[in-house]
């Protein structure tokens, strides 16, 4: 009887030992199931906001076509020359060179002739998107860069000599009184006369030029007196010649036979 009880106790103990790992394994499995369920729920919650790899690739490609990241070339301040200013613009986007009219359009806002600021809007087109807001400045024309044609020598007259200069800036002929004023010094007597051309209106700065004043040709006292007396001599002489002609004609008629 004692042996039977002992055997039963051992069997119960063995069963207890076997049941303990199984219970622990069951609890662990239950915990894992709970964790996996929570992870799945979180994934389902976040998945709409988390882009896929393909979506990220598409977004990168789209961003690569946005000209907002491009470098603008060919746009700098320019000097007034009386013509419309429309600089040729190119864009550098990574290793690609974008071409105006094909990959983007350019719009100029404001006065593009006279000095001042000009706003420029660059808008992507074709395969490119986005835009760039930039601009440039038209600077006043600087007469320091102007050219003045050679002024011919002038003969002294005793009065101030004021020959008009021909002034060009960047190939455009400037107008006196509109683009510049002229002042003169040493422009009466023989020697070198100075001319100062000062920018006004859309032009600024100074330009200097010069010309030679030549001495007037000398005349003798006799030539001067003869020239002064010539009208007094020619007039009476002409009258006398006409009178003599009339007298001679009359005498000839009287001597002619048959003349009355």
């Amino acid at each position: 009887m004692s042996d039977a009880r002992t055997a039963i106790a051992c069997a119960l103990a063995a069963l207890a030992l076997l049941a303990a790992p199984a219970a622990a394994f069951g609890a662990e499995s239950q915990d894992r199931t709970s964790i996996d369920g929570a992870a799945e729920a979180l994934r389902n919650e976040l998945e709409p906001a988390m882009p896929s790899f393909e979506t990220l690739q598409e977004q990168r490609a789209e961003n690569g076509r946005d000209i907002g990241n491009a470098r603008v070339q060919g746009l700098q301040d320019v000097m007034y020359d009386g013509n419309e200013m429309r600089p040729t613009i190119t864009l550098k986007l990574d290793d690609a060179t974008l071409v105006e009219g094909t990959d983007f359009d350019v719009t100029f806002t404001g006065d593009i002739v006279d000095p001042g600021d000009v706003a420029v809007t660059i808008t992507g087109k074709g395969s490119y998107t986005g835009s760039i807001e930039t601009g440039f400045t038209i600077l006043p024309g600087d007469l320091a860069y102007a050219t003045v044609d050679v002024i011919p020598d002038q003969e002294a007259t005793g009065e101030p000599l004021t020959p008009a200069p021909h002034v060009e800036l960047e190939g455009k002929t400037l107008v006196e009184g509109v683009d510049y004023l002229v002042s003169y010094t040493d422009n009466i007597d023989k020697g070198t006369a100075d001319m100062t051309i000062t920018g006004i209106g859309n032009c600024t700065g100074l330009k200097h030029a010069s010309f030679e004043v030549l001495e007037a040709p000398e005349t003798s006292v006799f030539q001067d007196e003869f020239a002064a007396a010539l009208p007094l001599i020619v007039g009476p002489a002409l009258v006398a010649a006409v009178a003599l002609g009339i007298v001679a004609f009359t005498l000839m008629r009287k001597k002619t036979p048959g003349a009355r």
Side-chain angles (χ1 to χ4, degrees), residues 86 89 100 105-109 118-123 133-134:
R86 297 180 183 271
I89 298 173
E100 181 179 351
D105 288 326
V106 180
T107 302
F108 299 94
T109 304
V118 180
V120 179
T121 302
I122 306 172
T123 307
E133 297 290 340
T134 181

Side-chain angles (χ1 to χ4, degrees), residues 25-259:
F25 179 79
E28 182 180 355
S29 297
Q30 185 176 2
D31 291 342
R32 287 181 180 176
T33 301
S34 299
I35 293 172
D36 291 342
E40 181 68 20
L42 182 61
R43 188 180 302 111
N44 292 335
E45 179 86 16
L46 297 177
E47 187 170 8
M50 295 176 61
S52 64
F53 177 77
E54 291 78 9
T55 303
L56 287 174
Q57 290 293 94
E58 291 176 358
Q59 289 177 352
R60 288 177 181 174
E62 185 67 25
N63 291 336
R65 293 194 295 268
D66 187 347
I67 66 170
N69 301 317
R71 301 186 305 277
V72 180
Q73 296 182 340
L75 193 63
Q76 62 275 326
D77 294 345
V78 294
M79 187 169 65
Y80 165 82
D81 65 3
N83 299 310
E84 289 188 345
M85 298 298 181
R86 297 180 183 271
T88 300
I89 298 173
T90 57
L91 298 182
K92 289 285 188 178
L93 185 59
D94 296 331
D95 295 331
T97 299
L98 279 57
V99 180
E100 181 179 351
T102 301
D103 303 315
F104 62 90
D105 288 326
V106 180
T107 302
F108 299 94
T109 304
D111 188 346
I112 58 174
V113 176
D114 299 322
D117 295 328
V118 180
V120 179
T121 302
I122 306 172
T123 307
K125 66 180 299 186
S127 300
Y128 295 92
T129 61
S131 63
I132 300 173
E133 297 290 340
T134 181
F136 67 98
T137 300
I138 301 177
L139 305 173
D142 189 348
L143 293 191
Y145 298 95
T147 59
V148 181
D149 287 356
V150 175
I151 300 171
D153 295 343
Q154 306 290 310
E155 188 175 288
T157 63
E159 300 293 332
L161 301 171
T162 57
H166 181 265
V167 184
E168 288 190 3
L169 180 62
E170 299 292 327
K172 174 183 173 58
T173 299
L174 302 183
V175 179
E176 183 175 356
V178 176
D179 301 312
Y180 64 88
L181 298 175
V182 185
S183 60
Y184 303 84
T185 56
D186 301 326
N187 59 330
I188 297 177
D189 300 324
K190 176 183 176 181
T192 301
D194 294 320
M195 177 187 297
T196 301
I197 304 168
T198 305
I200 61 172
N202 289 330
C203 296
T204 186
L206 300 174
K207 189 71 177 182
H208 293 279
S210 62
F211 60 91
E212 293 299 317
V213 178
L214 305 179
E215 188 174 3
E218 293 184 0
T219 57
S220 65
V221 175
F222 173 76
Q223 289 175 323
D224 291 341
E225 291 179 350
F226 178 77
L230 187 59
L232 301 176
I233 297 173
V234 172
L238 182 60
V239 172
V242 172
L244 288 174
I246 294 173
V247 171
F249 178 74
T250 303
L251 291 176
M252 289 179 63
R253 285 187 58 132
K254 288 182 179 181
K255 292 180 179 180
T256 303

